Amino acid sequence: MKKNTKTVKKAFIATLPVMAGYSVLSMGFGILLQSKGYGVGWALAMSCFVYAGSMQYLAVDLLAGGVSLITAALTTLMVNARHLFYGISMIDKYKNTGWKKPYLIFALTDEVYSLNCGDLPEDVDNPSLYYFLVSLFNQSYWVIGSVIGSLLGSVIPFNTEGIDFALTALFVTVFVEQWKSTKNHIPALTGVIASVLCLLVFGADNFLIPSMLLITAVLTFTRRLERRQNNG
Amino acid sequence: MDNIHSALMIGVIALVTVLLRFLPFLIFRGNKKTPEFITYLGKVLPFAIMGMLVVYCLKNISFVSAPFGIPEIIAVAVVVLLHLWKRNTLVSIIGGTACYMVLVQLVFGG
């Protein structure tokens, strides 16, 4: 049991940056949803069952616009297709996690992925509990924040403009951390360059799927090259 | 009618999201060995995706209208430098976010 206390502590500390980013983003979501006439029950349901940050913001527009179910499905597919990649890179890490596995997969958001895809912190001797708690803590912040946002409306005592940058900052630190952890910078550079290229070509609303295809193509190609070099 | 349509829509969005998250695990499940190519992708994708996520977060910057992405460029640089210097995630994130808030609220705000 003593061992697990350490794991709980490490998981909590790891999620603090997400708590900062989520508390603002989720409250913003609750406020926005409320302003379109959807009360606290809707906010709670969406944060419990959808649990996908940027998609929930988009969903507010879809709900308010009363679009068709097919449009909603296709939009979700476009925006959340990147989650396929998360799954592919977590298959081995989430193996042998037992009863925790369905929830681990359900809760695999950008932020959970960024915390769980790397090496475990030192002294964590129960990896599956650590992954589980990181996922659970993050979703709790998200759910609590959206409920508070929905209830309190816009009564926030200070100017929070820009605080959502916390999530960008989180991804940047993970990127730097990964960069320092390896000598092979081709995957990281591929990710940045392919995404920027696709952003320029396809625009902000449509660049994720082309980026994913381009990244997969380039990484497949570099693997072939490496193999040929190793064999020849 | 409206409430039912809204509830159905949330259901659809939740379902598609969950399917996308579960799909890779459903395809490569069980104790079968994961194909070598997928293991390879699993190893290199995190590096590439984190780059993609950073770009995704910054996708709405406009370089042709004020403030020309300057707050974002400065704040990202602060995060990178702080992180290379202290190697402490919390310090990097709090420092970068505080810097960004000051920039958008006080320097470029208004």
Side-chain angles (χ1 to χ4, degrees):
Chain A
M1 272 294 112
K2 193 106 198 265
K3 285 185 205 160
N4 285 345
T5 331
K6 224 174 216 171
T7 306
V8 175
K9 210 175 136 193
K10 291 277 175 184
F12 178 68
I13 292 172
T15 60
L16 285 177
V18 177
M19 189 202 268
Y22 265 9
S23 52
V24 175
L25 284 178
S26 59
M27 286 212 278
F29 164 74
I31 292 168
L32 188 66
L33 194 63
Q34 179 75 42
S35 74
K36 303 280 180 192
Y38 294 89
V40 65
W42 293 96
L44 181 68
M46 285 174 75
S47 291
C48 283
F49 299 120
V50 181
Y51 185 35
S54 44
M55 190 58 224
Q56 282 183 228
Y57 270 86
L58 255 180
V60 177
D61 289 336
L62 299 178
L63 283 170
V67 302
S68 71
L69 295 181
I70 301 206
T71 307
L74 288 176
T75 309
T76 314
L77 199 64
M78 292 289 288
V79 173
N80 280 347
R82 64 183 186 282
H83 290 105
L84 285 172
F85 271 23
Y86 301 165
I88 290 173
S89 36
M90 297 307 280
I91 286 173
D92 286 332
K93 288 200 164 213
Y94 282 180
K95 236 172 205 168
N96 309 318
T97 45
W99 57 268
K100 303 183 191 79
K101 195 168 178 180
Y103 180 71
L104 284 173
I105 301 172
F106 165 78
L108 198 48
T109 59
D110 299 332
E111 293 73 22
V112 170
Y113 175 76
S114 72
L115 296 180
N116 282 351
C117 73
D119 295 327
L120 285 167
E122 280 171 45
D123 308 328
V124 168
D125 28 33
N126 190 344
S128 70
L129 181 67
Y130 176 83
Y131 295 142
F132 181 76
L133 289 175
V134 165
S135 311
L136 189 67
F137 288 156
N138 282 354
Q139 189 173 12
S140 318
Y141 309 147
W142 184 258
V143 171
I144 293 169
S146 44
V147 167
I148 292 177
S150 179
L151 291 176
L152 292 189
S154 40
V155 206
I156 294 175
F158 67 99
N159 185 356
T160 56
E161 188 193 351
I163 203 171
D164 52 335
F165 186 81
L167 291 178
T168 310
L170 169 69
F171 299 139
V172 172
T173 56
V174 175
F175 185 84
V176 173
E177 199 62 45
Q178 288 180 338
W179 185 278
K180 301 275 283 180
S181 74
T182 174
K183 283 215 161 72
N184 177 13
H185 298 314
I186 291 172
L189 288 174
T190 303
V192 174
I193 295 169
S195 309
V196 170
L197 276 179
C198 291
L199 176 61
L200 292 175
V201 174
F202 298 96
D205 294 332
N206 297 311
F207 80 104
L208 277 179
I209 290 182
S211 307
M212 289 168 56
L213 294 173
L214 187 57
I215 288 170
T216 313
V218 172
L219 292 178
T220 309
F221 181 70
T222 53
R223 179 172 182 250
R224 288 234 176 108
L225 280 184
E226 268 170 36
R227 289 193 143 187
R228 206 166 288 167
Q229 276 172 356
N230 291 342
N231 293 339
Chain B
M1 163 62 201
D2 259 350
N3 271 346
I4 295 175
H5 186 74
S6 298
L8 282 176
M9 194 187 294
I10 293 171
V12 165
I13 293 170
L15 188 71
V16 174
T17 305
V18 163
L19 276 178
L20 286 167
R21 288 181 185 158
F22 271 86
L23 201 61
F25 293 91
L26 293 175
I27 295 173
F28 306 107
R29 69 171 157 196
N31 295 320
K32 275 182 294 178
K33 206 175 169 316
T34 317
E36 207 190 318
F37 178 63
I38 298 299
T39 311
Y40 162 78
L41 278 184
K43 256 186 225 141
V44 291
L45 278 181
F47 299 95
I49 297 174
M50 220 37 73
M52 186 176 92
L53 273 180
V54 172
V55 176
Y56 181 67
C57 286
L58 302 172
K59 70 184 164 143
N60 289 322
I61 297 177
S62 166
F63 290 103
V64 289
S65 60
F68 306 101
I70 296 168
E72 284 82 5
I73 293 170
I74 295 175
V76 167
V78 166
V79 175
V80 172
L81 292 175
L82 270 178
H83 201 67
L84 290 174
W85 179 36
K86 289 282 180 189
R87 217 63 196 276
N88 180 320
T89 307
L90 273 182
V91 170
S92 315
I93 289 172
I94 293 170
T97 307
C99 166
Y100 184 75
M101 289 175 76
V102 169
L103 287 174
V104 293
Q105 288 182 19
L106 303 176
V107 182
F108 295 94

